[in-house]
């Protein structure tokens, strides 16, 4: 099965993290003011990238993994802090310092031009490319690349990265250990996912007549029509065995395939972790990749206009979530993708480094946490507990969103015991509390609640992940994995995605701000959002330091308890962000209660 390795992994590498930079002595640091340390990484490259940046159609896709198949590209790039002026960057000096004995591989110019940005949206905000190269391994084993980057008079830094080249083994090899033997039980749960039967169902006609030969590049292991290397992948083995795509999709097609080809069919371990020959031969975990960025998923889920998940996500706030909480274990449980995974698994959060909220933050690809019939592999759909003790079990897929989009404090105890300060108030995302009609400061009264929590199937998901037609200007800018419900075309007013609203409120609803009642009591029935904003404005004029309408509150220790009670509700409704759409009755009730209470304390 492919080329036999002539250099196995030495035992000395057993403790080396496969995704970490090797420790090397730097000549000097770039600058005492550099915020982000320079790094040498592999850039993922997707079909969406190839189309967007007009790269040749023969350009090979990459998942951005450090474990790579023979003949597959490693798109290497050195990234340095964005604050360094481009004119001070002298480029990078590259060296292939280690390679297997019989390898003829060399570093070459990267086919990715200057118009191709850094892959991860969050990295583009803090890094810039200082140099690029291409490496295409030709023999299984260890490859080490070093790069020295110089930035003007600030000096230079040398860094290195280790890569493991190998061949594909197929799921049979993975099953030997990951089936309850020496390693974690993964194969049995994976086998129940749609990934595990995607190709099988396609060629057997289960998914209809639309399945074609163009689909199998993502539905098999190691398929690469632009490579002639015998790497053990599906395309190489199909050519070797003379297999061609069936002319008729019907039951029995998959069973009629050679066993060796079945072994590398469907979406399995090596699609996401890279070729496993070196890992299988040594048992060393260093010899297989654990995806850390979106590339492993995006290599298949980024090919608009039909595979749009990654492209939509790249336009979301999740893709560029704030770096402010880095280093804080309390915050990392929501503000770091890896931190959230640990929190959902009930593990102690020790890694507090930055990590965007990406695909596998919300989706568990091995099928170990989601119900067996959940095609989306959602990481947690059991329940969400809000800070006032409310346990949410009926929110459908939206329960995952509620794990983080909540106030973080119990309003009734927090407001009564917390002094005023610049940090006073609920967390900035109390959407779950608002939707469920709980955890505002109620003054001991029963505040009515709207029916969205009961009648909107899958709650958050139903509205924020609406399907948008490819012909709609909002396509990839709202709905789906952008999680946005509003889109502003260039030079035009913002438009709301109201299809989910119209199912109950009727086709006459064309925007979220549609009229219902005169909530603010001014004698005019404005739209819901306008009415709520009027109440927010009225309340803000009653809070220090003066009687003007405020867009932000400056809270300090001089604020009285009634003022803090009202401030909490003003922040609760404001930070919810929907201006009453999530729960009109509750938002209005809280604001009116706060206004009445302040008036009684004049």
């Amino acid at each position: 099965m492919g080329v036999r390795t002539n250099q196995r992994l030495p035992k000395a590498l057993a403790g080396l993290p496969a995704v970490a930079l090797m420790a090397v002595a730097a000549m000097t640091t770039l600058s005492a003011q550099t915020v982000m340390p320079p790094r040498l990484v592999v850039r993922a490259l997707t079909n969406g990238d190839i189309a967007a940046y007009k790269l040749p159609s023969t350009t090979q896709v990459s998942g951005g993994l450090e474990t790579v198949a023979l003949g597959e590209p490693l798109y290497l790039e050195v990234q340095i802090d964005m604050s360094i002026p481009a004119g001070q960057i002298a480029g990078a000096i590259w060296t292939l310092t280690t390679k297997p004995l019989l390898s003829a591989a060399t570093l070459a110019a990267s086919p990715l031009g200057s118009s191709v940005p850094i892959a991860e949206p969050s990295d583009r905000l803090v890094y810039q490319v200082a140099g690029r190269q291409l490496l295409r391994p030709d023999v299984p084993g260890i490859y080490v690349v070093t790069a020295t980057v110089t930035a003007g008079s600030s000096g230079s830094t040398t860094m290195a990265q280790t890569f493991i080249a190998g061949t594909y083994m197929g799921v049979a090899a993975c099953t030997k250990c990951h089936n309850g033997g020496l390693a974690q039980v993964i194969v049995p749960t994976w086998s129940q996912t749609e990934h595990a039967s995607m190709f099988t169902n396609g060629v057997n006609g289960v998914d209809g007549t639309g399945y074609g030969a163009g689909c199998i590049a993502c539905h098999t292991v190691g398929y690469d029509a632009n490579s002639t290397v015998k790497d053990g992948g599906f395309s190489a083995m199909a050519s070797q065995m003379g297999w061609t795509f069936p002319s008729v999709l019907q039951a029995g097609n998959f069973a009629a395939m050679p066993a060796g080809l079945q072994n590398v069919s469907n979406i399995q371990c090596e699609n996401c972790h890279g070729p496993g020959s070196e890992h299988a031969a040594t048992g060393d975990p260093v010899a297989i990749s654990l995806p850390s960025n979106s590339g492993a998923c995006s290599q298949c889920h980024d090919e608009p206009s039909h595979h749009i998940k990654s492209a939509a996500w790249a336009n979301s706030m999740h893709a560029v979530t704030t770096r402010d909480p880095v280093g804080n274990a309390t915050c990392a449980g929501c503000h770091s993708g890896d931190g959230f995974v640990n929190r959902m698994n009930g593990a102690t959060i020790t890694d507090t480094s930055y990590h965007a909220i990406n695909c596998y933050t919300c989706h568990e690809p091995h099928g170990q946490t989601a119900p067996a019939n959940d095609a989306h592999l959602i990481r947690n759909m059991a329940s969400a507990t809000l800070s006032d003790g409310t346990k949410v079990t009926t929110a459908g897929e939206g329960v995952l969103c509620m794990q983080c989009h909540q106030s973080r404090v119990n309003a009734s105890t927090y407001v009564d015991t917390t002094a005023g300060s610049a940090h006073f108030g609920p967390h900035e995302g109390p959407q779950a509390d608002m939707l469920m009609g709980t955890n505002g400061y109620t003054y001991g009264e029963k505040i009515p609640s709207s029916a969205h929590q009961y009648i909107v199937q899958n709650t958050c998901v139903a509205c924020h992940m609406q399907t948008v037609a490819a012909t709609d200007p909002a396509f990839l800018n709202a709905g789906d994995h952008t999680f946005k419900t509003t889109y502003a075309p260039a030079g035009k007013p913002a438009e709301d995605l109201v299809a989910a609203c119209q199912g109950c409120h009727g086709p006459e609803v064309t925007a979220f701000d549609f009229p219902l009642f005169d909530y603010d009591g001014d004698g005019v029935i404005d739209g819901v959002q306008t009415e709520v904003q009027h109440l927010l404005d009225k309340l803000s004029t009653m809070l220090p330091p003066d009687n003007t309408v405020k867009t932000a509150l400056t809270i300090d220790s001089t604020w009285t308890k009634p003022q803090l009670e009202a401030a909490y509700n003003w922040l609760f409704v404001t930070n919810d962000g929907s201006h009453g759409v999530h729960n009109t009755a509750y938002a209005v009730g809280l604001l009116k209660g706060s206004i009445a209470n302040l008036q009684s304390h004049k």
Side-chain angles (χ1 to χ4, degrees):
M1 293 184 62
V3 180
R4 184 176 180 179
T5 181
N6 70 334
Q7 180 176 332
R8 292 297 182 187
L9 295 173
K11 291 298 183 180
L13 287 182
L16 176 66
V19 298
L21 293 178
M22 292 178 61
V24 291
M27 295 170 58
T28 62
T29 57
L30 279 174
S31 168
Q33 297 178 342
T34 299
V35 176
M36 306 302 295
R39 61 186 190 176
L40 193 167
V41 300
V42 184
R43 190 201 192 280
L45 193 73
T46 69
N47 284 307
D49 290 331
I50 293 170
Y53 304 115
K54 297 180 172 56
L55 301 175
S57 60
T58 55
T59 304
Q60 292 168 281
V61 169
S62 169
L65 303 173
E66 286 81 12
T67 309
V68 64
L70 304 184
E72 297 297 308
L74 289 165
Y75 298 110
L76 307 176
E77 63 186 35
V78 169
Q79 300 172 355
I80 65 173
D81 189 88
M82 179 63 76
S83 65
I84 298 174
Q88 295 183 14
I89 303 171
I93 299 174
W94 298 83
T95 307
L96 178 56
T97 58
T98 301
K99 64 181 181 179
L101 180 62
L102 300 180
S103 173
T106 59
L107 291 167
S110 173
L112 309 185
S114 59
S115 64
V116 180
I118 290 172
E120 296 297 311
S122 58
D123 290 341
R124 296 173 194 170
L125 302 179
V126 294
Y127 280 111
Q128 59 183 314
V129 176
R132 280 177 167 148
Q133 285 278 278
L134 172 71
L135 175 63
R136 203 183 300 275
D138 58 347
V139 174
I142 303 168
Y143 295 75
V144 179
V145 177
T146 63
T148 300
V149 61
T150 303
S153 60
S154 299
S156 61
T157 296
T158 298
M159 63 209 82
Q161 179 64 284
T162 297
F163 304 102
I164 309 297
T167 57
Y168 293 105
M169 304 292 288
V171 70
C174 306
T175 302
K176 291 178 181 179
C177 290
H178 295 281
N179 195 36
L182 300 177
Q184 186 178 7
V185 180
I186 291 177
V187 173
T189 55
W190 161 82
S191 67
Q192 301 301 310
T193 69
E194 289 194 3
H195 279 168
S197 58
M198 188 66 69
F199 174 84
T200 301
N201 289 340
V203 296
N204 282 347
V206 174
D207 297 327
T209 59
Y211 197 80
C215 301
I216 65 176
C218 280
H219 298 169
T220 58
V221 173
Y223 188 101
D224 188 348
N226 294 315
S227 175
T228 59
V229 176
K230 294 181 179 180
D231 61 2
F234 187 94
S235 53
M237 294 189 67
S239 176
Q240 178 182 339
M241 297 175 176
W243 181 86
T244 57
F245 193 84
S247 57
V248 178
L249 301 177
Q250 58 186 3
N253 280 343
F254 183 78
M257 292 171 57
L261 205 53
Q262 292 182 23
N263 183 49
V264 287
S265 295
N266 299 305
I267 303 163
Q268 45 175 281
C269 315
E270 291 170 301
N271 290 76
C272 303
H273 295 284
S277 63
E278 308 306 284
H279 173 59
T282 65
D284 197 327
V286 171
I288 200 75
S289 290
L290 295 177
S292 61
N293 292 316
S294 63
C297 301
S298 295
Q299 62 183 325
C300 286
H301 289 284
D302 182 32
E303 192 176 3
S305 59
H306 47 300
H307 295 300
I308 65 168
K309 304 306 181 188
S310 293
W313 166 81
N315 286 329
S316 75
M317 292 300 293
H318 281 168
V320 292
T321 184
T322 176
R323 292 177 182 265
D324 289 346
V326 168
N328 188 319
T330 302
C331 300
C334 278
H335 286 280
S336 164
D338 287 346
F340 181 77
V341 171
N342 284 332
R343 186 163 74 87
M344 290 298 96
N345 290 340
T348 300
I349 298 174
T350 57
D351 180 3
T352 59
S353 59
Y354 178 82
H355 192 278
I357 309 301
N358 65 16
C359 316
Y360 66 82
T361 304
C362 299
H363 302 278
E364 200 293 306
H366 304 118
Q368 294 189 310
T369 59
N373 61 348
D374 174 41
H376 301 129
L377 300 176
I378 294 173
R379 189 168 289 281
N380 187 326
M381 284 179 58
S383 65
T385 301
L386 307 184
S387 293
D388 67 345
T390 299
K391 188 171 184 178
V392 183
T393 59
T394 58
E397 293 175 351
V399 79
L400 185 75
C401 312
M402 295 182 182
Q403 304 293 344
C404 287
H405 290 271
Q406 52 172 282
S407 67
R408 295 287 185 277
V409 296
N410 184 332
S412 62
T413 56
Y414 174 85
V415 175
D416 289 341
T417 59
T418 306
S421 73
H423 302 290
F424 180 88
H427 191 270
E428 293 183 358
Q431 290 86 6
D433 307 77
M434 177 64 79
L435 182 66
M436 303 308 294
T438 189
N439 212 15
Y441 193 80
T442 65
Y443 302 95
E445 301 294 330
K446 175 66 175 177
I447 306 294
S449 187
S450 299
H452 280 167
Q453 61 172 295
Y454 305 109
I455 63 175
V456 179
Q457 186 178 15
N458 290 321
T459 53
C460 319
V461 169
C463 299
H464 287 269
M465 299 185 71
Q466 295 181 58
T467 299
V468 178
T471 55
D472 193 312
F475 183 63
L476 299 183
N477 293 296
D480 205 89
H481 281 73
T482 70
F483 307 100
K484 299 175 183 176
T485 56
T486 300
Y487 169 61
K492 297 181 180 179
E495 299 176 4
D496 299 328
L497 298 185
V498 295
C501 309
Q502 291 174 337
C504 292
H505 294 279
E508 63 273 12
V509 173
T510 58
F512 298 145
D513 195 23
F514 63 91
L516 282 178
F517 300 103
D518 177 19
Y519 294 111
D520 61 10
D522 65 357
V524 178
I525 300 178
D526 296 304
V528 167
Q529 292 180 309
T530 300
E531 292 280 346
V532 169
Q533 185 60 57
H534 286 171
L535 288 171
L536 284 167
D537 292 344
K538 183 176 182 179
L539 179 56
S540 71
T541 64
M542 304 172 71
L543 295 171
D546 51 44
N547 61 353
T548 59
V549 172
K550 302 171 185 65
T551 57
L553 302 181
T554 305
I555 304 174
D556 58 34
S557 59
T558 66
W559 284 44
T560 65
K561 186 174 184 298
Q563 289 170 342
L564 291 174
E565 293 165 349
Y568 185 93
N569 284 339
W570 189 93
L571 291 167
F572 184 85
V573 175
T574 299
N575 292 344
D576 167 65
S578 74
H579 282 76
V581 172
H582 287 149
N583 193 332
T584 306
Y586 197 66
V588 169
L590 291 177
L591 295 176
K592 283 188 172 182
S594 296
I595 292 169
N597 188 63
L598 282 181
Q599 288 174 334
S600 70
H601 283 84
K602 282 185 178 180

